[in-house]
Amino acid sequence: MSVQHRATFKFESTDEDKRKKLCEGIFKVLLKDIPTTCQVSCLEVLRILSRDKKVLVPVTTKENMQILLRLAKLNESDDSLEKVSEFPVIVESLKCLCNIVFNSQMAQQLSLELNLAAKLCNLLRKCKDRKFINDIKCFDLRLLFVLSLLHTDIRSQLRYELQGLPLLTQILESAFSIKWTDEYESAIDHNGPPLSPQETDCAIEALKALFNVTVDSWKVHKESESHQFRVMAAVLRHCLLIVGPTEDKTEELHSNAVNLLSNVPVSCLDVLICPLTHEETAQEATTLDELPSDKTAEKETVLKSNTMVYNGMNMEAIHVLLNFMEKRIDKGSSYREGLTPVLSLLTECSRAHRNIRKFLKDQVLPPLRDVTNRPEVGSTVRNKLVRLMTHVDLGVKQIAAEFLFVLCKERVDSLLKYTGYGNAAGLLAARGLLAGGRGDNWYSEDEDTDTEEYKNAKPKEELLKPMGLKPDGTITPLEEALNQYSVIEETSSDTD
């Protein structure tokens, strides 16, 4: 039956009573001392049946849950995972628990009563450094994710009582085989093999569980936790610089890393960049002119390397985030779910960390040379972001505009230079900056980066001015119109 119905998710209502009796019979069989192969077969059938919420109502009892906990080695009395022959039983039991807890409110309440989260953490500790039991870790983590998704109390328990933050971070370290070269720096082997499918799936489940555990961390966190958040951010930097077995799996891995980075306090995101090593410094010092003309491949390597370096800092992870963002823009759909997390992350990183902002400014808003085309016309990252500034989704256009505004150090004149007045009008109106000025945040002063092309074209911009209506209904430059309304308002106040 399990092979025939492996992909079955919809069930006929006419057979509901038969499925209920089958579930009850399976639990009775699992109570007995039967061979491992029989246990696996029973659990495979139960896993399929547990997709039906109606069937679960009469069979979701404390006794039946305890049967599955015992088979999954989640009882405290089970001290080790030595019998390899039992691993398939453990995995199938965890799969059944995932379905049952997700589909049954009674099971969710029993999970709290049976302290399931603590049992899952104990099982993780038994197998965190053992790679040959990745399936057990994967479904243990998935069940932790489901529990923490459905119960805010469990998130708090995982975070503080069960020390879920360091535990899950260590699971990621193990999945990535991280070797630390400094407190917050790991060795990256760009020529190494990709992650295996099992390691990738395990890492993705850990990232999702960590997201729930840390979901409110960016708002409130203790100073004593900064070290742990920096360690996690350093692990996530490593994650961004490695690849999975396929392009789709790599994107899924990086997407979950981006989501989790959004929960990290922005002050701890400085570990996404790090000083160059002696070897990297030597490579950066190698100029293209020093290489012979026939060394095309070497020149491309140096050029690629130098685009990821800024002010003596390795910007590889930020470069990956930027490329990830552009790919999400190019998809052209699901912007709110797929694009806004990475855009928000890059915005906050840029606002808080000067080197990141300046590197992204160089990549996204390089010195302006094309002054003939409209800002939204073209295929550069700037053009794509400017087009988003007038997107129909309010959240998408707000975060795209905010990102560019921050890269411009929240200076209106700089934003207008790169985006045009019409595209920026929405953000400026919301900020009360239609007449010019700058935002509330302070940024260091940079040198003038205007190109000769822009300086020559700048006087011609006066041909386009923002306009407004005067009180008498005639059109006038916006600043003059605003001034006249201010005079009228002051006059009205005086007469009161």
Side-chain angles (χ1 to χ4, degrees), residues 412-456:
V412 172
D413 57 343
S414 181
L415 181 69
L416 296 182
K417 178 173 80 172
Y418 288 105
T419 69
Y421 190 88
N423 295 313
L427 178 137
L428 298 180
R431 293 289 196 95
L433 295 171
L434 282 170
R438 64 187 307 165
D440 298 329
N441 294 288
W442 180 89
Y443 299 87
S444 61
E445 294 298 328
D446 296 335
E447 294 181 3
D448 180 19
T449 57
D450 287 350
T451 61
E452 289 301 318
E453 293 89 341
Y454 179 75
K455 288 177 180 177
N456 292 333

Side-chain angles (χ1 to χ4, degrees), residues 378-409:
S379 58
T380 67
V381 183
R382 174 178 75 102
N383 302 141
K384 295 172 183 178
L385 286 166
V386 170
R387 286 196 287 272
L388 289 179
M389 294 174 76
T390 53
H391 195 271
V392 292
D393 188 303
L394 180 62
V396 172
K397 72 178 183 181
Q398 283 179 337
I399 190 59
E402 184 76 10
F403 177 51
L404 292 173
F405 195 41
V406 169
L407 293 188
C408 292
K409 298 191 297 184

